[in-house]
Amino acid sequence: MKKILAVFLAVLLLTVALVGCGAPASGPAAASGSQDAAEPAPVTIKWMHHFAEEARIAWAQDVAAKTHELYPWITVEIEVQPYDQYVALLKTKIQSDDAPDLYNLQARALLEEFVAADYCADLSAEPWLDTIMAAGVDAGRVNDGVYSIVQDMGGSFVFYNKAIFEQNGLKVPTTYSEWINVLETLKDAGVTPLAAGYQEVWALLVDTYADSVPALFENDPDWAVNKMNGESSFADDEVFAQSMQRIYERTRYTQADAFGSDWNKACELVATGDAAMVIGGLFALDAIQSKNPDVRLGAFALPASENPADSRMPLGNPGGFIVYNGPRQEAAKLLLSVMLSKEMAGKYQTLARTLSTVKGIEGEVEPALQDILDVEADGRALSTSALAASFTGEYQKAYCTELVRFLMADQADVEGFAKTLDSEFAKIA
């Protein structure tokens, strides 16, 4: 165990920096930008993203082709980078005068950092802005400008294999005791209750967010900021202690090699029925169903108490697409407008099995997505789009390092975990 922990933490420190991105008759592509009578000079723009799922990668290629079809002088080159290295590579490219013209960021703190550095073009005057839901625009507001557009909703959800639940006579849990009963029943039946890809730190964090974000941020939106500023301590935070205890308890129900498995493996376990559930964002749907198109999936909010009304689902997306504030920004804005048109957003919602922020998209919704919409309709969703729900920089590295130590330990030492975090954060301040 010590050897595995040492190797895992070594990799973690290298990767964690990320976590602490003819015109249609209507929609953004029809409304965006002003064009001269004469066709502009040819321009090649770069789009760097970190899509990992095949459907999303293919969709991005379609967006690039559609942009060239509508605006023949624009050629789009796409560069795909791994999620865990994305921000580090992005910063390197910007500093090397090789910035992509369109990129994305997944954290509010990073957006504010990039806006302050003048790396983001202001989108507030774009004529297509009112075709995007408020949740897709508000997350990108900084000061008096709009610098990021959220393409689809995010969050942290429990996805479950309906066939496994049916075979074991299980219903969706609405209280914490029911949740533990589901985990125990599956374990007794020889089924891995919860698949996990903790080898990848982002997957570990999204997993923990299902509990920690509603618990810590609903009543204290500045929770993370206050911890980094030293205005409150982990050791004196009873809500933090309770959340970490629950997270530790459920990680006892993952597969044996959870910290040696990546996200792809976790999704495979659910797709094949070797595991019943996985906690992740909406991207989990495509990742699971691409491995087994016939799998039937549902989704629910992670219970945290004996009151069903307390089961809050984090729903929102603090990250989005950004146009680089450079010489090719007008062409990049046209690319973004095509991406956010009803046509391309509708394709994305279908192919990626997600919920678009573009208004007026029609069509059937995946059953698991409908489950999420039902939770939102019941008033049990916590909007997270404008929350700074993670630490930044060295604080995030320290938090993740100690979180891994805590979860890999044979016993839950919540008090020791909290005191260590206070000590490590004090060193950084």
Side-chain angles (χ1 to χ4, degrees):
M1 177 64 76
K2 289 183 179 179
K3 184 177 180 181
I4 295 174
L5 176 58
V7 173
F8 184 85
L9 291 176
V11 175
L12 174 66
L13 290 174
L14 292 175
T15 61
V16 73
L18 171 68
V19 186
C21 7
S26 64
S32 178
S34 59
Q35 300 179 42
D36 298 329
E39 186 173 289
V43 61
T44 297
I45 58 177
K46 300 175 182 178
W47 175 9
M48 190 171 102
H49 67 70
H50 52 67
F51 293 147
E53 299 79 16
E54 292 181 6
R56 298 180 188 227
I57 292 173
W59 172 83
Q61 295 288 351
D62 288 345
V63 171
K66 188 67 175 181
T67 301
H68 186 66
E69 176 188 331
L70 296 175
Y71 309 104
W73 63 91
I74 299 176
T75 299
V76 181
E77 293 182 353
I78 297 178
E79 182 178 350
V80 184
Q81 294 291 355
Y83 186 92
D84 282 344
Q85 301 173 30
Y86 186 84
V87 170
L89 290 170
L90 176 59
K91 288 182 176 180
T92 298
K93 285 181 173 292
I94 291 175
Q95 293 163 3
S96 303
D97 199 26
D98 186 31
D101 301 289
L102 186 70
Y103 61 94
N104 58 296
L105 295 173
Q106 293 301 114
R108 174 73 184 184
L110 282 172
L111 174 61
E112 293 175 354
E113 174 188 332
F114 275 52
V115 169
D118 203 24
Y119 296 155
C120 312
D122 188 357
L123 304 172
S124 58
E126 292 304 301
W128 45 260
L129 208 61
D130 63 357
T131 69
I132 311 300
M133 298 176 187
V137 178
D138 291 346
R141 294 189 186 278
V142 178
N143 300 324
D144 296 325
V146 175
Y147 298 94
S148 172
I149 300 295
V150 173
Q151 175 192 25
D152 57 351
M153 301 305 293
S156 188
F157 321 101
V158 184
F159 293 102
Y160 69 100
N161 186 318
K162 289 187 175 182
I164 301 300
F165 267 51
E166 291 165 1
Q167 291 165 13
N168 290 277
L170 295 172
K171 295 182 179 180
V172 170
T174 60
T175 66
Y176 190 72
S177 58
E178 290 177 358
W179 165 244
I180 295 299
N181 179 66
V182 166
L183 297 174
E184 284 290 337
T185 299
L186 290 166
K187 182 179 179 181
D188 292 343
V191 178
T192 297
L194 195 59
Y198 295 158
Q199 184 183 71
E200 298 182 84
V201 66
W202 67 264
L204 170 61
L205 289 172
V206 172
D207 181 306
T208 63
Y209 288 164
D211 188 303
S212 64
V213 170
L216 303 175
F217 289 89
E218 181 166 20
N219 296 317
D220 186 3
D222 295 323
W223 183 86
V225 174
N226 290 336
K227 291 293 186 290
M228 290 186 288
N229 292 342
E231 295 180 12
S232 65
S233 71
F234 291 95
D236 295 331
D237 194 330
E238 184 60 28
V239 176
F240 171 76
Q242 293 170 356
S243 177
M244 291 302 112
Q245 181 66 40
R246 290 191 298 268
I247 290 170
Y248 182 91
E249 288 175 358
R250 65 174 158 82
T251 59
R252 305 307 97 180
Y253 295 91
T254 60
Q255 75 272 23
D257 62 341
F259 282 93
S261 300
D262 60 13
W263 172 250
N264 184 67
K265 178 62 176 179
C267 293
E268 180 182 311
L269 291 172
V270 177
T272 58
D274 292 316
M277 297 173 286
V278 68
I279 300 176
L282 293 180
F283 48 81
L285 287 174
D286 181 52
I288 296 170
Q289 292 178 321
S290 65
K291 303 177 190 307
N292 179 8
D294 297 324
V295 66
R296 293 181 296 116
L297 298 174
F300 59 89
L302 182 67
S305 76
E306 294 309 306
N307 182 357
D310 291 340
S311 297
R312 306 284 277 166
M313 178 181 282
L315 185 61
N317 195 336
F321 283 94
I322 298 165
V323 171
Y324 182 68
N325 189 26
R328 296 176 295 274
Q329 63 177 275
E330 295 306 318
K333 289 176 181 178
L334 291 175
L335 167 61
L336 183 59
S337 76
V338 175
M339 177 194 303
L340 298 170
S341 65
K342 281 187 180 181
E343 177 187 358
M344 299 313 298
K347 285 184 178 180
Y348 182 78
Q349 179 165 286
T350 300
L351 290 173
R353 301 178 175 92
T354 189
L355 297 171
S356 175
T357 60
V358 175
K359 298 176 183 177
I361 293 179
E362 300 177 351
E364 283 192 33
V365 176
E366 289 272 338
L369 294 178
Q370 188 59 56
D371 290 342
I372 293 170
L373 291 174
D374 290 344
V375 171
E376 196 272 340
D378 289 342
R380 292 189 293 114
L382 172 65
S383 177
T384 61
S385 292
L387 284 180
S390 61
F391 303 112
T392 58
E394 294 300 312
Y395 294 100
Q396 184 77 331
K397 287 183 182 181
Y399 174 74
C400 291
T401 298
E402 297 309 322
L403 176 65
V404 170
R405 292 185 191 276
F406 167 65
L407 294 178
M408 292 188 74
D410 293 333
Q411 293 183 335
D413 183 7
V414 178
E415 182 179 351
F417 176 40
K419 289 181 178 179
T420 300
L421 286 176
D422 282 331
S423 174
E424 293 300 315
F425 275 38
K427 294 176 184 176
I428 300 168

